[in-house]
């Protein structure tokens, strides 16, 4: 009941929040409460069905956040999906389990986050993981899946592996030959989860291989532990804002919530409040609590408790497009084949592309800074952009992701530039905690982002022109050569890309972990600067976009955050 007092309150029972709640409640004398706006989806077939991607979209377990009209992105309002359920977005995501490139995590440290590097995070990827070795499952014979045991954890809560619907008819091997036959070959990568992602791979998913059901944060980190008497979850409960202790220090003492019966009350925390409401909600909860940019807060009559003008800034997402081709075979099983080309593999003239981009970085930085009223400085942004440039053109991180999915008599592809430079923001629109936030990712604000998207599309066309794939596929049905000619340049592709993209659903960095003086909102212990006991542990803290998919990195960051918090007990 709401009169009780908890040691820790975790706001948001999603991907990150349940990891933290689970690990903190391993200490029997520590009482943890999770506040979750959604309900249980344990028996929801839109969640559990491993072939059900998309079924939950638009249902009551999808926040379906709307962006503003995207000025540079075709004037379109995009829907950014996110899970509203115990388990959060892990209950509706594509289940892809792909980590980041070593150099990308090392860049977090280079940007000023001491101790946040690949070497230190790698053990936490493994700690959370319960890898299900494919040789145990005969349905995977012939599927082509491979792995390196050194990269995996076998004793963690989160099941990772392949499902019984994985295609095993030799298509994977034909893809491999096709990639090798490209003019600029892409080599098979036996296991992209060890920090080197470049190449073509058959990646694992968050799935229970035995039962063929989705593995999500609740199934991994909550349900098996729900009998712990010190682990409490309030479902269908909306967190409105933090409440503060009187006094000089900025110390949270609880959270105002609206319960499922409609009553609003305050629940008390004696130690800490941990925000884990996702990158489009955690910054807004801070703003509703008076932590943010005074110019924005005052518009809505909110008194500034702490002036941190970068709350809600640095929003980075990716843009997702697809090409479709006829398949000469009909497929009734599923598989997604991923390839991660480097800049040298994706851009025919990569040195020139790199040099041109380098020249543009000061202008890019100035544009982003001016768009947000200079709360992030052009100088700092330029430094971050140069780090990103070095990652692409010196460290050779993947510059795009290409997914190929056979489906019926179609080959679907999805693709995106891995590390767009555009940065937007998310801010509250009202002091009413139930009001929709103003979300502006500024898709395609900077022209390199379109160029990467165009080159990835061209790369896909090359794949379908290369044997053996060329003989296995028919016409390009979308966009089709009559719509975008084989010789089309960036301009020729622009309409198709900007009218047909969607959010890649990977928003991050809205309460970035960075030094305060360069725009950080949380420090390296994920504590909000200037507070004594408020942390953010979710996608909001990730300072730079990663090349893999977010969940693996988010689980690892949350595992590490839990250790950091426990060490301070
Ligand atoms: P997450 O969204 O998991 O948790 C936030 C929680 O807070 C939610 O449960 C929410 O209901 C709750 N909450 C919010 N506001 C609240 C409030 N005011 N009060 C109480 N509770 C509140 N990644 C990947 O690795 N592989 C993939 O295949 C995909 N595919 C994919 C598809 C789709 C459709 C989406 C939307 C996303 C993906 N992703 C993905 C991304 C990945 O799933 C995502 O980045 C993480 O799950 C986000 O984890 P967080 O902990 O940051 O937030």
């Amino acid at each position: 009941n709401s009169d009780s007092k908890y040691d820790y309150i975790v706001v948001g029972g999603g991907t990150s929040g349940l990891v933290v709640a689970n690990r903190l409640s391993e200490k029997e004398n520590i009482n943890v409460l999770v506040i979750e706006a959604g309900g249980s989806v344990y028996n929801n077939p839109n969640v559990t069905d491993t072939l059900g991607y998309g079924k939950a979209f638009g249902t009551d377990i999808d926040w379906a956040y709307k962006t503003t009209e995207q000025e540079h992105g075709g004037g379109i309002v995009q829907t950014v999906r996110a899970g509203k359920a115990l388990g959060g977005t892990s209950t509706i995501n594509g289940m892809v389990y792909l980590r980041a490139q070593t150099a990308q995590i090392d860049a977090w440290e280079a940007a000023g986050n001491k101790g946040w590097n690949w070497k230190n995070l790698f053990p936490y990827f493994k700690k959370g993981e319960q890898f299900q070795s494919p040789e145990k499952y005969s349905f995977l014979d012939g599927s082509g899946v491979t792995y390196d045991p050194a990269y995996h954890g076998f004793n963690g809560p989160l099941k990772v592996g392949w499902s019984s619907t994985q295609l095993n008819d030799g298509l994977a091997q034909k893809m491999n030959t096709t990639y090798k036959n490209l003019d600029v070959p892409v080599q098979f990568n036996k296991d992209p989860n060890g920090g080197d992602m470049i190449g073509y791979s058959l990646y694992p998913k968050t799935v229970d291989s035995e039962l063929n059901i989705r593995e999500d944060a609740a199934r991994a980190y909550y349900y098996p532990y729900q009998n712990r008497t010190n682990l409490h979850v309030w479902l269908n409960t909306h967190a409105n804002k933090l409440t503060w202790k009187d006094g000089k220090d900025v110390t949270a003492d609880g959270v105002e919530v609206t319960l499922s019966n409609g009553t609003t009350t305050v629940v008390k925390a004696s130690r800490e409040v941990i925000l884990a409401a996702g990158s489009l909600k955690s910054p807004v909860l801070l703003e509703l609590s008076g932590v943010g940019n005074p110019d924005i807060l005052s518009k809505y009559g909110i008194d500034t408790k702490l002036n941190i003008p970068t709350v809600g800034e640095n929003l980075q997402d990716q843009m997702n497009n697809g090409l479709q081709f006829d398949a000469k075979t009909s497929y009734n099983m599923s598989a997604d084949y991923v390839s991660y080309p480097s800049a040298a593999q994706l851009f025919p003239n990569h040195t020139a592309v790199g040099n041109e981009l380098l020249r543009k970085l000061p202008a890019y930085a100035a544009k982003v800074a001016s768009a947000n009223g200079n709360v992030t400085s052009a100088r700092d942004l330029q430094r971050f952009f140069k780090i990103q440039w070095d990652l692409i053109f010196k460290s050779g991180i993947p510059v795009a992701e290409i997914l190929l999915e056979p489906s019926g008599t179609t080959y679907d592809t999805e693709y995106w530039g891995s590390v767009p430079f555009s940065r937007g923001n998310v801010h509250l629109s009202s002091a009413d905690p139930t009001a929709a936030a103003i979300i502006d990712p500024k898709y395609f604000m900077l022209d390199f982002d379109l160029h990467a998207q165009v080159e990835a599309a061209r790369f896909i066309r090359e794949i379908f022109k290369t044997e053996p794939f060329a003989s296995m596929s028919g016409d390009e049905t979308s966009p089709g050569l009559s719509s975008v000619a084989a010789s089309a340049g960036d301009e020729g592709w622009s309409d198709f890309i900007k009218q047909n993209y969607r959010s890649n659903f990977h928003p991050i960095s809205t309460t970035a972990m960075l030094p305060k003086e360069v725009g950080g909102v949380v420090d390296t212990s994920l504590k909000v600067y200037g507070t004594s006991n408020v942390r953010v542990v979710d996608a909001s803290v990730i300072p730079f976009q990663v090349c893999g998919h977010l969940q693996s990195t988010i689980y690892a960051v949350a595992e590490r955050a839990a250790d950091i918090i426990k060490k301070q007990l």
Side-chain angles (χ1 to χ4, degrees), residues 11-17 35-38 53 57 63 65 80-98 206 237-240 276-279 281-282 285 433 502 504-508 537-540 548-554:
V11 176
T15 315
S16 316
I35 295 167
E36 170 52 47
Y53 181 66
F57 295 178
W63 286 96
Y65 299 123
V80 188
R81 306 204 178 275
K84 183 181 186 180
L86 194 64
T89 304
S90 72
T91 68
I92 68 164
N93 71 12
M95 309 190 301
V96 179
Y97 186 89
L98 279 163
T206 41
T237 302
H238 191 271
N240 298 333
S279 56
K281 266 290 166 65
S282 290
L285 281 163
R502 64 163 170 83
N504 203 38
F505 309 138
H506 288 174
I508 57 157
V537 183
D538 63 22
S540 322
H549 292 231
L550 287 177
Q551 66 173 347
S552 51
T553 300
I554 288 171

Side-chain angles (χ1 to χ4, degrees), residues 24-297:
L24 291 177
S25 63
E26 284 174 341
K27 298 240 178 219
E28 284 171 16
N29 58 334
I30 293 295
N31 268 299
V32 181
L33 171 66
V34 176
I35 295 167
E36 170 52 47
S40 166
V41 289
Y42 192 81
N43 292 316
N44 183 333
N46 292 342
V47 171
T48 52
D49 179 359
T50 56
L51 295 177
Y53 181 66
K55 281 190 184 166
F57 295 178
T59 70
D60 60 0
I61 69 163
D62 175 9
W63 286 96
Y65 299 123
K66 297 290 177 199
T67 69
T68 56
E69 276 182 18
Q70 289 302 286
E71 183 185 348
H72 313 279
I76 293 172
V77 171
Q78 290 286 347
T79 302
V80 188
R81 306 204 178 275
K84 183 181 186 180
L86 194 64
T89 304
S90 72
T91 68
I92 68 164
N93 71 12
M95 309 190 301
V96 179
Y97 186 89
L98 279 163
R99 298 167 183 167
Q101 184 88 5
T102 311
Q104 290 192 288
I105 307 294
D106 289 344
W108 299 4
E109 182 156 57
N113 296 305
K114 195 162 180 294
W116 284 90
N117 52 39
W118 175 268
K119 191 172 145 276
N120 291 340
L121 197 61
F122 193 43
Y124 288 102
F125 281 109
K126 296 208 244 181
K127 181 178 184 187
E129 185 183 16
Q130 189 184 128
F131 187 72
Q132 304 154 106
S133 304
E135 64 270 16
K136 285 196 215 140
Y137 303 98
S138 56
F139 54 74
L140 294 173
D141 294 350
S143 65
V145 301
T146 50
Y147 73 104
D148 182 337
Y151 298 163
H152 296 280
F154 295 84
N155 301 313
L158 185 74
K159 293 190 171 116
V160 173
W162 289 268
S163 72
S164 54
T165 54
Q166 179 84 13
L167 195 65
N168 53 12
D169 71 342
L171 177 62
Q173 293 80 349
K174 288 184 185 119
M175 281 301 302
N176 190 7
T177 312
T178 306
Y179 276 115
K180 284 192 178 133
N181 288 343
L182 287 173
D183 282 348
V184 183
V186 169
Q187 298 302 328
F188 185 66
N189 182 341
K190 180 181 172 192
D191 192 331
N193 275 319
D196 179 11
M197 312 170 75
I198 294 286
Y200 158 67
S201 306
L202 279 73
Y203 60 82
K205 295 189 170 194
T206 41
V207 66
D208 184 325
S209 298
E210 202 77 51
L211 303 177
N212 189 29
I213 49 176
R214 170 193 295 273
E215 179 78 342
D216 58 48
R219 274 186 192 269
Y221 284 91
Y222 178 69
Y223 292 115
Y225 306 90
Q226 61 185 326
N227 290 335
R228 283 183 190 165
T229 53
N230 61 334
L231 174 58
H232 310 267
V233 171
W234 291 1
L235 296 178
N236 304 304
T237 302
H238 191 271
N240 298 333
K241 59 180 174 185
L242 309 187
T243 59
W244 303 106
K245 222 183 212 152
D246 290 336
K248 219 162 65 285
D249 290 350
V250 180
T251 302
D253 64 1
V255 180
E256 183 196 289
V257 298
T258 301
L259 303 171
S260 52
N261 66 9
T263 24
T264 293
T265 181
V266 171
V267 51
K268 293 284 184 187
S270 57
R271 287 177 182 269
E272 294 191 7
V273 176
I274 297 158
L275 294 178
S279 56
L280 299 176
K281 266 290 166 65
S282 290
V284 178
L285 281 163
L286 283 176
E287 291 182 327
L288 288 162
S289 314
V291 178
N293 181 347
D295 291 343
I296 294 174
L297 304 188

Side-chain angles (χ1 to χ4, degrees), residues 248-501:
K248 219 162 65 285
D249 290 350
V250 180
T251 302
D253 64 1
V255 180
E256 183 196 289
V257 298
T258 301
L259 303 171
S260 52
N261 66 9
T263 24
T264 293
T265 181
V266 171
V267 51
K268 293 284 184 187
S270 57
R271 287 177 182 269
E272 294 191 7
V273 176
I274 297 158
L275 294 178
S279 56
L280 299 176
K281 266 290 166 65
S282 290
V284 178
L285 281 163
L286 283 176
E287 291 182 327
L288 288 162
S289 314
V291 178
N293 181 347
D295 291 343
I296 294 174
L297 304 188
S298 61
K299 269 200 250 173
Y300 307 108
I302 295 173
D303 291 337
T304 300
K305 181 84 183 168
L306 259 182
N307 177 353
I308 309 183
T310 49
V311 169
E313 296 299 331
N314 290 311
L315 171 58
Q316 299 163 51
D317 192 6
Q318 297 150 327
M319 295 79 74
N320 182 304
N321 282 102
L323 267 57
Q324 270 97 42
F325 298 80
D326 279 333
K328 291 186 180 163
T329 316
S330 181
Y331 295 93
N332 59 8
M333 302 215 348
S334 79
D336 312 72
Y337 303 113
V338 70
S339 77
Y340 282 118
S342 64
Q345 288 167 322
L346 193 76
F347 302 127
N349 45 354
H350 72 279
T351 308
V353 171
N355 288 341
E356 191 191 341
L357 177 63
L358 191 59
R359 272 195 305 277
K360 285 181 176 169
L361 294 185
Y364 279 12
K367 202 165 170 183
V368 172
S370 125
N372 66 33
N374 296 302
V375 295
T376 56
S377 85
R379 195 196 54 217
D380 296 331
L381 285 164
Q382 195 179 323
R383 209 181 111 231
F384 299 147
F385 287 169
K386 178 60 172 36
I387 289 176
Q388 194 163 322
W389 187 93
D390 285 342
L391 287 171
I392 301 171
F393 292 98
K394 286 193 173 157
S395 307
I397 64 165
V399 72
E401 173 162 340
I402 315 280
L403 289 171
L404 185 130
E405 306 143 4
S407 158
T409 53
T410 303
Y411 291 119
D412 273 324
T413 68
E414 286 183 56
Y415 65 91
W416 55 93
S418 322
V419 283
F421 282 74
S422 303
R423 289 181 178 213
N425 47 43
V426 50
H427 292 295
L428 79 182
S429 68
S430 159
D432 172 359
T434 62
I438 303 167
I439 300 169
D440 184 3
K442 300 202 188 292
Y443 296 120
F444 296 108
M445 178 193 202
L446 303 170
D447 57 1
F448 174 79
D449 300 351
L450 175 67
H451 188 60
Q453 212 70 1
V454 169
E455 291 291 9
R458 289 204 184 107
F459 181 85
I460 291 172
R461 283 186 167 175
E462 285 306 312
I463 296 169
F464 280 83
K465 280 201 305 211
T466 304
E467 293 296 349
F469 225 60
S471 304
M472 296 163 56
S473 53
D475 289 344
E476 178 186 304
T477 50
S478 176
L481 290 166
S482 57
S483 171
V484 181
S487 58
D490 285 11
E491 272 305 300
W493 277 99
S494 176
D495 271 0
F496 167 72
I497 288 175
K498 291 189 176 180
Q499 290 306 315
N500 294 287
Y501 74 103

